[in-house]
Amino acid sequence: MESESGRESGNGGFQDGTRAGEGDGTGSGSGSGEGDGPGDPERVVLAEDRRWVHDLWAAFFCSLSLIVLLHLVDLAAGTVEAGRSMLWAGLAATLFVVLFPPRVTAGRHWLSVRGLLGERRVSTDLLTQVSRRDGIAQRIVLKDVRGRRVEVDPTTLAANPLLWHELDRGARVAGERGLLRTGSPVLRTLRERIESDTARAVFEASDLV
């Protein structure tokens, strides 16, 4: 009788211990699951430059073509040397740096431009200034209330309507808040150009032009 009672007591203790262990394991798993939240909206990319990969390969092939051409000239002239090869490699690398396309991405109320030297980002819903820098390479300059600044090629925005949509949406919010005091004409001109290009592309695709 005593042995049977002992066995029942031992089994009961084992079952209780098992239940307790299961309860701890379930509680731990639930806790870790609840800790996982949605992605940070500041990092969710909603639009990007669709031409970037193509432009990157174009820069690479231009640099490669330069170094191959220079070596072929040296080979024909019989002047192939290690020092000259290093010089040509340096020239090709310099050309690649010059041609390297900045990668433009955008999300909800932000726009980012990433180059070889790092990333620059502005909050489009906190823009205070939009200006146009003319010259050999035209740029749209964006500044926000935090003092951050980025430059974007207007042709990149024209070729990527989703990028333009995210910028325009944020700029409208900044205008409604009274933050965007300069740059409305620049945005208006860019908007008209993009809408015109988009309409033309639709007509061409429909064989209406």
Side-chain angles (χ1 to χ4, degrees):
M1 295 294 294
E2 292 179 358
S3 61
E4 291 178 357
S5 175
R7 284 195 298 270
E8 291 176 357
S9 176
N11 292 336
F14 175 77
Q15 293 173 355
D16 292 341
T18 303
R19 294 192 188 99
E22 292 175 352
D24 292 343
T26 303
S28 175
S30 174
S32 61
E34 293 177 356
D36 298 334
D40 184 359
E42 289 292 326
R43 292 295 175 184
V44 177
V45 176
L46 300 180
E48 60 182 350
D49 183 4
R50 297 173 299 177
R51 305 180 308 172
W52 183 78
V53 174
H54 173 271
D55 293 343
L56 180 64
W57 277 108
F60 172 76
F61 281 120
C62 284
S63 303
L64 181 62
S65 299
L66 175 63
I67 193 172
V68 170
L69 178 61
L70 292 174
H71 276 89
L72 287 176
V73 172
D74 275 350
L75 185 62
T79 57
V80 177
E81 298 177 356
R84 293 175 66 86
S85 295
M86 294 179 61
L87 176 61
W88 304 151
L91 288 176
T94 302
L95 179 62
F96 180 76
V97 170
V98 172
L99 297 179
F100 183 86
R103 187 170 190 177
V104 183
T105 55
R108 183 171 178 80
H109 296 163
W110 61 266
L111 185 140
S112 167
V113 178
R114 179 183 293 276
L116 287 174
L117 299 180
E119 179 185 20
R120 291 180 177 271
R121 174 185 294 234
V122 293
S123 298
T124 54
D125 62 329
L126 300 176
L127 290 176
T128 58
Q129 181 180 353
V130 178
S131 59
R132 187 184 189 95
R133 181 169 63 83
D134 295 324
I136 298 177
Q138 295 184 349
R139 293 292 184 269
I140 301 297
V141 183
L142 310 173
K143 295 181 181 179
D144 64 14
V145 294
R146 299 185 178 96
R148 297 182 298 186
R149 176 178 181 272
V150 299
E151 296 185 6
V152 186
D153 187 343
T155 60
T156 299
L157 297 174
N160 296 273
L162 291 179
L163 276 177
W164 161 249
H165 172 71
E166 294 301 329
L167 171 59
D168 187 46
R169 179 169 64 174
R172 290 178 186 271
V173 174
E176 293 172 356
R177 293 174 175 174
L179 298 175
L180 185 58
R181 301 183 180 276
T182 60
S184 296
V186 176
L187 290 173
R188 188 181 309 112
T189 301
L190 188 58
R191 184 182 301 113
E192 293 173 353
R193 172 187 172 183
I194 293 175
E195 290 176 352
S196 176
D197 292 345
T198 302
R200 185 181 300 107
V202 172
F203 289 149
E204 291 176 351
S206 304
D207 293 332
L208 297 177
V209 176

